[in-house]
Amino acid sequence: VSAALDAILLGHAVFRPLLQAMSRPGTVHRLPAAARARPLLALLGAVADREVSFHVAGADDPALGREIAWATGARPARLEEADFVVFPAGDSGGRLLHARRGSLEYPDGPARPRGARCAGARPAPGGEPRVSPRRRRDLRRPRGPAGLHPALDADRGGLVGYVAVRGGAEAIERAGELFEHARTRGDSAPLGVDQIRDQLFLAVDRVMGEGSLYAPDLAALALKQSAGDTLEAAFMVRAYRATKPRVATSLPIDTARMRVVRRISPAFKEVPGGQFLGPTPDYTLRLLDFDLLEDSEARREAFRRRLFDGAPVPAEVPEEFPKVVEILRRDGLLVGRGAREEGTWDLTRQPLSFPAPRSATLQALARGETGGVLVLAYSSLRGYGDVHPIIGELRVGHVPLELPHPETGEPVHAGEVPVTEAEVIARLSRSDESPRFGLGYGMCLGQNETKAIAMAILDRCIQAQMPGMPAANQEFVLSHVDGIEAMGFANHYKLPHYVDFRSDLDRVRRAQAVEREREAAGGGDDGR
Amino acid sequence: MATGHTPAARARELAAAAVELDEAVAAEALAELGFDSLELETGPRTGLAMMTVRDPFDTVFCLGEALVTEAVVRRGEDRGWGVVLGDAPRRAVLQAALDLIGRTGDEVALARAAERLGPGSARLAAERAREAALVARTRVQFDLMPGK
């Protein structure tokens, strides 16, 4: 057991310098000592898993391929098809040109080359080792058609180098330090990750939902590191998940088995099983509670005593609740289930394409940014659409995560995951023989009722046969709800654009010159 | 506690309760139950489990992934598999060990595990019951709410 724990910690330790190397272009970072004996395997272990393929190019000895397959679970593939290509000699000898490459539509499609030596790496005098200028030029040299990213991981001496842009490395590093200083310069005590996880749990839930990874400790850490920026935090969480192998896919979760902590049905005065407000600040005034300025353990203890002691024990909460929409469906008032979709789309494996199947739609919305999902749904409610929903049922609770046993296929309980689920009833649907209500579905990780409701509204909107408004247009909605993509696009304008702008300047100056010449010639505005 | 009709069913019940233990308790249980001597075949290693959900239209979709820890233990030709939420290597090994003794029908080991893990499971059940009681106190009938 101890040896295995060491291996886990080593995997984490290897990934850190790999990330550092990728985020600090032009610098070289040393792998932990324990990884230096087999650095290539250590690096591949951090990025490859059983769902990707690899190819060892130019190796006479098949042992390396077998070792990689054993250590990572990745499967061997032909050079033209592999996700990762390994060049044990450090030079592809031109074979890199035959590796898979991306396209303008999917620029992330190319294979990732993994070299096996880094001849240009040398220690910088008195500082961090850096890639030599000659080697950097070599790395930046185009090696094939567009989309084939030059990159290099070294396998000699445990060094990692990666070059994506050049210039400004020193300033970028100092700017990062200044941000760290801004986060830590106050007189307050350092914020514990456990404090964020426990006391800012709604923010943690939001980050997990948008990061599409249930990992409360990591989401809390990301919030701390990003100084509370939920978009940045979700970005970090997604980056982390990209480093982990997928070990299983759960059995489909049946939310009828949810351990409910909150359940309301605004569509009805009362529903079978009852309505429970649960933990919520809804129905209260949004006034600042200045008592929290005096928060202390003694105050909390007194609150807990008041909460738990001496309270009469009311009737128990049922272990399972019937679904309200199923009651409507039994009475023939709700649309049917429709034809079952073959297969399940997974956006982490397959890029979105349109028209998207329902499974892709729901996944895209579930990992969407709360504000983005809300704004688009709101547009429909405000009149730029015709879906005005009634919430059939809103649930918050814990669902069991069950994974199939690899040998027997029987469900294995791995724990409970908190989720929010919303089902909205909206508009008559005439797709069946008789008029029935339509149904929209929303579900997300953690407690995020705004997002679940907005998701359900959008789901109902984009079921429209003839979308007339933006919120009913599947492609429009799904192309714009991902917060990390949206943030990345908006923020990339902060990067140098002087080449583009110089071109724009030239065009404006030429246009002005033409205008001046026309005016000088007495032409003026001819109205065209 | 562990009322299943077969050893495998009883082991599954124990394992389901064990996923809620904290790592320190799981480490103690591993040592006390003699599981520490089992051979580790895989892991424990962290990875991802994709959570799939069935919606009201019978569509199965990917909700998102969860960080899990996976372990496979071996004793001779017999193997046991464990997977738990979070970065929890000891709990994963404990679950794998319980899977192994359940599948091999090791009644002695099962009885010891039930004795060792039973109190923790009872505490968890009591805590859940207390939470449920708090939720029960928020039951509402909207037509009776003030102002309606």
Side-chain angles (χ1 to χ4, degrees), chain A residues 208-263:
Chain A
M208 290 192 295
E210 294 169 14
S212 203
L213 177 69
Y214 179 72
D217 289 321
L218 298 179
L221 174 64
L223 271 170
K224 174 171 177 159
Q225 188 178 335
S226 65
D229 185 327
T230 54
L231 283 168
E232 288 282 355
F235 195 169
M236 291 174 197
V237 166
R238 278 206 201 166
Y240 177 84
R241 70 149 290 281
T243 71
K244 290 290 171 191
R246 184 175 294 175
V247 300
T249 298
S250 82
L251 299 169
I253 292 168
D254 176 5
T255 56
R257 295 173 58 201
M258 184 188 295
R259 184 163 64 83
V260 168
V261 298
R262 171 164 162 75
R263 184 218 195 197

Side-chain angles (χ1 to χ4, degrees), chain A residues 64-338:
Chain A
L64 178 59
R66 283 201 299 269
E67 270 192 284
I68 293 172
W70 183 87
T72 65
R75 63 188 185 282
R78 296 191 312 123
L79 173 66
E80 293 80 4
E81 295 164 354
D83 297 307
F84 290 87
V85 183
V86 178
F87 302 106
D91 188 331
S92 82
R95 283 187 291 267
L96 193 53
L97 290 172
H98 301 289
R100 221 182 61 214
R101 61 206 61 187
S103 62
L104 286 177
E105 192 177 3
Y106 300 118
D108 54 346
R112 271 77 65 175
R114 292 288 178 264
R117 69 178 64 202
C118 185
R122 61 179 172 79
E128 197 175 37
R130 292 183 180 279
V131 174
S132 72
R134 188 180 63 81
R135 186 60 179 155
R136 198 179 306 157
R137 277 197 304 277
D138 186 41
L139 289 169
R140 287 178 57 79
R141 189 177 301 143
R143 296 180 179 215
L148 191 60
H149 301 301
L152 179 115
D153 290 355
D155 196 21
R156 202 177 67 172
L159 298 175
V160 182
Y162 183 91
V163 176
V165 296
R166 69 178 171 189
E170 180 74 17
I172 290 169
E173 200 150 335
R174 298 290 87 79
E177 287 174 357
L178 196 53
F179 179 75
E180 183 68 8
H181 172 62
R183 198 177 61 75
T184 57
R185 69 184 161 195
D187 294 331
S188 57
L191 192 54
V193 168
D194 57 340
Q195 292 175 295
I196 298 171
R197 182 196 60 210
D198 296 343
Q199 299 178 46
L200 302 181
F201 59 91
L202 294 181
V204 170
D205 284 353
R206 180 169 171 166
V207 169
M208 290 192 295
E210 294 169 14
S212 203
L213 177 69
Y214 179 72
D217 289 321
L218 298 179
L221 174 64
L223 271 170
K224 174 171 177 159
Q225 188 178 335
S226 65
D229 185 327
T230 54
L231 283 168
E232 288 282 355
F235 195 169
M236 291 174 197
V237 166
R238 278 206 201 166
Y240 177 84
R241 70 149 290 281
T243 71
K244 290 290 171 191
R246 184 175 294 175
V247 300
T249 298
S250 82
L251 299 169
I253 292 168
D254 176 5
T255 56
R257 295 173 58 201
M258 184 188 295
R259 184 163 64 83
V260 168
V261 298
R262 171 164 162 75
R263 184 218 195 197
I264 55 172
S265 176
F268 298 97
K269 279 202 291 191
E270 186 59 305
V271 286
Q275 303 195 47
F276 297 86
L277 298 183
T280 178
D282 284 0
Y283 328 105
T284 60
L285 299 174
R286 264 64 172 185
L287 298 177
L288 286 172
D289 178 4
F290 292 100
D291 286 349
L292 288 178
L293 291 172
E294 305 298 326
D295 200 6
S296 67
E297 188 49 45
R299 182 180 180 277
R300 291 175 179 208
E301 188 52 42
F303 170 74
R304 282 193 286 265
R305 273 201 304 276
R306 198 169 69 246
L307 187 66
F308 290 116
D309 296 348
V313 179
E316 285 186 356
V317 178
E319 284 192 8
E320 291 184 8
F321 292 87
K323 301 295 289 281
V324 170
V325 295
E326 291 306 324
I327 298 170
L328 289 173
R329 188 171 266 154
R330 273 203 302 274
D331 291 344
L333 296 169
L334 198 70
V335 288
R337 294 178 190 279

